[in-house]
Amino acid sequence: MKRYSKEHEWVELQGTEAVMGITAYAAAELGDITYVEVPALGKKVKVNDVLCVVESVKAASDVYAPVGGEVCAVNGNLDADPALVNQSSEDKGWFCRLTGVAQTEFDALMTADQYAAYTAGLK
Amino acid sequence: MSLIFELSVPGRRGTTLPGLDVPAADAIPAGLRRIKPAALPEVSELDAVRHFVNLSRLNIGVDTCFYPLGSCTMKYNPKFHERIAELPGFAGLHPLLPQLRRGGALTQGALAVLFEAEQFLAELLGFSAFTMQPLAGAHGELTGVMLIAAYHKKRGETRPVMLIPDAAHGTNPASAALAGFTTRTIPSDANGDVDLAALKAALGPEVAGLMLTCPNTLGLYDPNVREICRLVHEAGGLVYGDGANLNAIIGRVRPGDLGFDVMHVNLHKTFGTPHGGGGPGAAPVGVAKVLVPFLPTSRVLKRTDGSYALEYHFPDTIGYVAPFYGNFGIILRAYAYMLTLGAEGVRRVSAAAVLNANYVRAKLRDAFPAAYPRTCMHECVLTAQPLAEAHGVHALDVAKALLDRGFHAPTIYFPLIAPEAVMIEPTETESKQTMDAFIATMLEIAALAERDPEALHRAPEHQTVRRLDETRAARFPDLASLA
């Protein structure tokens, strides 16, 4: 089950480990993505800290941590092929994995239905 | 078009050099001589002339077509001011001369230009003094935020945060970060103005100041600008003004009177000096009285006998921010521009710039509605959202189609808070006929989007290059195709 942030990140929790990326909506809004700066392994973040930077043909944008934790893996394929984020934003285009994630922070995020309603309201 | 290296034929020459009149062995010591011949193109004079003339014909500029690049103020650069800048007394001046002993006496004219240009700007913008040194807009921003940092440091205060509205140019947070600040974003409200409640919530003892563009990048004049300045001052901060959009208000309202403490002025925008490929730019920074002690050195002062001199001794100065006195040739052209127009002419600049932008906005209202439907200032931010939703034709497609139709494209996808943004700044130097031709073309493109959207996805079809692979261009830029 995925949850979604207002800043357009998705996060999927397995136990206390989470995988995250940006949503298909965010990828479409950004346009063709040219570069993703993933965090260093071991970086510790709190909710809403800057976690990654994503550059597209339109803009460079900060990506915020939807939940707190410690970075334990990053998607090494994005360096050679950042277009993965456009093609498969919520699967192959994942950004990083975090450990030590609190269930309560995950539960505070939006469900898929809530997020769909949220983005519909942005138009 | 070929590179000149691809035209090369071994042995072909454009010039015949005279024979050596000294022994070859003595001319250059053996150890300093080239081992392999230089890899220069071997072409005739005619080959070289045709190559560079044809290259120049690919150049797009204000001198070739309407160039409504929003936020950039691509107004006409008067040729008369180029002639002033070419006068040998200015063009031949050595920049070190005024720093040499008694050199000041030989450079009084140039120092007078710097001094009087500063006086004119101070009067026009309502500031106490200017530094003429910064070399372009973002350099002016950096200088300005460094002055704010120096001000707080002198007062013994630690204020590490700079507030920046989400409509700001991307250079604002970059300049603040380079000066050592962390930045905090202030959202815009539903009208496109600074969200006052969010600003109040963000202000505090850690805030050094706010960087505000007036009018903002949506081309809108924030009616709360005085109140915004007051709130920032009340919290102990200073207000930085981004002067990128000064063309909208020049001669009409003075930023210093509104409450701005420091502001850069893009001479290459508002004051009609060349920019883009024709640069360089110049961005003098004006300051309120409280920031004068921190201005960069040197400064040009007028002595009691009426002569001008460079002065270096200001204990609180942030130091040099540029070699010598800034881009003197550009300051000189801007000085000529101010003298040409005079106070009344400058007022007519802003009036015509605002009128022209509103003319374009109103004429395009049905096909390209304004992102925020209200009277704009010197530029209008329209949206291609209706075309995108109905026909899958995006702002990028419209921009590319304009290239095929003889216009430079407007700014697109900026500011980011406006979806499918198309930002048009006609400037005051364009005629109604030119704007009408542009408007007719925009409407033709909108009609084509309905009939044949694929034709717009294919654009441009008649340029030197077609649609570029922007991802690849950003990832693997090929800046010198000489492999």
Side-chain angles (χ1 to χ4, degrees):
Chain A
M1 281 284 282
K2 284 198 184 107
R3 290 285 175 113
Y4 299 84
S5 75
K6 284 191 170 178
E7 303 289 345
H8 307 288
E9 291 95 15
W10 60 264
V11 53
E12 190 167 10
L13 191 65
Q14 293 143 352
T16 61
E17 195 171 312
V19 57
M20 65 77 60
I22 63 169
T23 64
Y25 174 88
E29 285 291 306
L30 284 167
D32 291 338
I33 285 162
T34 55
Y35 183 68
V36 180
E37 185 183 296
V38 293
L41 290 177
K43 177 175 175 157
K44 292 190 176 112
V45 289
K46 300 191 293 291
V47 180
N48 291 334
D49 283 353
V50 174
L51 184 59
C52 310
V53 179
V54 54
E55 284 183 32
S56 76
V57 293
K58 288 187 200 169
S61 310
D62 287 337
V63 175
Y64 303 95
V67 291
E70 181 177 336
V71 178
C72 63
V74 296
N75 187 350
N77 294 329
L78 294 184
D79 192 43
D81 192 7
L84 281 175
V85 182
N86 293 108
Q87 292 153 9
S88 175
S89 55
E90 303 197 18
D91 182 22
K92 288 181 185 154
W94 64 279
F95 281 15
C96 63
R97 299 182 78 88
L98 300 165
T99 57
V101 174
Q103 183 77 37
T104 49
E105 289 183 359
F106 179 78
D107 290 341
L109 296 166
M110 288 180 274
T111 65
D113 287 347
Q114 286 166 337
Y115 179 69
Y118 171 68
T119 53
L122 295 178
K123 292 246 161 135
Chain B
M1 219 183 127
S2 304
L3 298 173
I4 196 165
F5 291 91
E6 291 164 347
L7 303 176
S8 186
V9 174
R12 185 166 290 170
R13 291 288 180 272
T15 55
T16 309
L17 297 177
L20 272 183
D21 57 0
V22 292
D26 297 348
I28 298 172
L32 297 178
R33 270 183 239 159
R34 188 182 284 287
I35 296 164
K36 280 194 281 185
L40 298 174
E42 297 179 87
V43 296
S44 69
E45 183 172 325
L46 179 57
D47 291 336
V49 167
R50 280 191 185 144
H51 178 75
F52 287 107
V53 169
N54 284 324
L55 259 188
S56 77
R57 288 168 64 177
L58 299 179
N59 205 12
I60 302 289
V62 177
D63 287 356
T64 62
C65 66
F66 184 46
Y67 202 134
L69 193 65
S71 213
C72 294
T73 316
M74 304 301 288
K75 66 170 73 174
Y76 176 62
N77 310 143
K79 299 295 170 260
F80 177 61
H81 302 158
E82 298 300 313
R83 298 218 3 229
I84 301 277
E86 284 163 11
L87 290 174
F90 288 127
L93 206 53
H94 195 287
L96 269 175
L97 199 52
Q99 296 181 27
L100 299 180
R101 194 170 141 79
R102 299 212 176 94
L106 301 172
T107 55
Q108 285 296 300
L111 293 177
V113 166
L114 288 169
F115 183 85
E116 289 190 10
E118 182 186 338
Q119 300 290 306
F120 287 172
L121 289 175
E123 174 64 26
L124 264 173
L125 280 99
F127 287 117
S128 294
F130 268 81
T131 172
M132 306 302 281
Q133 282 184 30
L135 302 171
H139 192 205
E141 292 174 30
L142 177 64
T143 304
V145 290
M146 284 167 68
L147 293 170
I148 292 176
Y151 167 85
H152 290 306
K153 191 176 174 193
K154 178 77 180 176
R155 293 161 61 95
E157 294 195 24
T158 307
R159 289 174 174 261
V161 176
M162 191 64 76
L163 304 182
I164 300 177
D166 60 4
H169 291 105
T171 45
N172 287 182
S175 299
L178 200 57
F181 291 103
T182 53
T183 59
R184 202 179 286 165
T185 304
I186 307 297
S188 301
D189 66 15
N191 297 323
D193 299 320
V194 171
D195 185 328
L196 281 183
L199 174 65
K200 284 177 193 164
L203 286 168
E206 75 286 6
V207 172
L210 168 76
M211 297 180 81
L212 187 65
T213 309
C214 178
N216 70 16
T217 60
L218 293 163
L220 301 176
Y221 191 87
D222 195 321
N224 302 316
V225 61
R226 281 176 193 273
E227 174 67 2
I228 291 167
C229 293
R230 194 189 64 76
L231 287 168
V232 175
H233 290 155
E234 200 174 79
L238 296 178
V239 183
Y240 182 88
D242 182 320
N245 295 340
L246 182 63
N247 213 45
I249 58 170
I250 188 76
R252 299 271 156 187
V253 60
R254 306 198 313 166
D257 297 342
L258 291 173
F260 287 93
D261 300 291
V262 47
M263 183 173 190
H264 81 265
V265 177
N266 305 78
L267 298 185
H268 48 282
K269 295 183 179 178
T270 316
F271 293 89
T273 71
H275 75 304
V285 169
V287 293
K289 203 171 173 193
V290 291
L291 289 175
V292 172
F294 308 103
L295 280 175
T297 53
S298 59
R299 296 182 56 201
V300 182
L301 298 184
K302 193 174 188 175
R303 296 203 192 94
T304 48
D305 66 358
S307 65
Y308 301 95
L310 293 174
E311 179 58 56
Y312 296 87
H313 302 292
F314 301 96
D316 292 327
T317 176
I318 62 168
Y320 270 108
V321 298
F324 303 109
Y325 333 99
N327 279 327
F328 175 74
I330 298 302
I331 297 165
L332 173 59
R333 286 170 175 86
Y335 175 68
Y337 183 89
M338 288 187 274
L339 283 177
T340 304
L341 289 178
E344 182 50 34
V346 164
R347 286 170 58 78
R348 287 172 59 191
V349 163
S350 46
V354 171
L355 180 64
N356 286 358
N358 278 290
Y359 181 70
V360 171
R361 179 182 63 83
K363 284 281 191 178
L364 290 176
R365 185 161 40 199
D366 294 336
F368 299 93
Y372 292 81
R374 58 189 247 212
T375 304
C376 65
M377 296 297 287
H378 66 305
E379 61 195 0
C380 54
V381 177
L382 312 182
T383 174
Q385 188 88 332
L387 289 191
E389 283 175 3
H391 312 298
V393 169
H394 295 270
L396 181 69
D397 303 315
V398 175
K400 298 288 186 191
L402 280 168
L403 303 180
D404 271 344
R405 288 158 175 80
F407 296 104
H408 193 284
T411 300
I412 54 171
Y413 300 124
F414 181 82
L416 295 168
I417 52 177
E420 294 287 338
V422 178
M423 185 198 232
I424 298 166
E425 181 180 10
T427 83
E428 74 282 3
T429 57
E430 296 298 335
S431 67
K432 179 170 180 294
Q433 286 71 26
T434 301
M435 288 189 293
D436 282 339
F438 174 76
I439 289 160
T441 302
M442 287 290 279
L443 296 177
E444 182 257 310
I445 290 169
L448 185 60
E450 204 170 323
R451 218 170 54 244
D452 185 7
E454 274 315 303
L456 295 171
H457 293 146
R458 282 195 305 272
E461 297 189 89
H462 309 297
Q463 300 298 306
T464 313
V465 291
R466 297 287 301 276
R467 192 76 67 108
L468 298 176
D469 181 343
E470 294 192 38
T471 308
R472 205 177 142 72
R475 292 269 298 159
F476 308 103
D478 182 1
L479 303 176
S481 299
L482 294 176

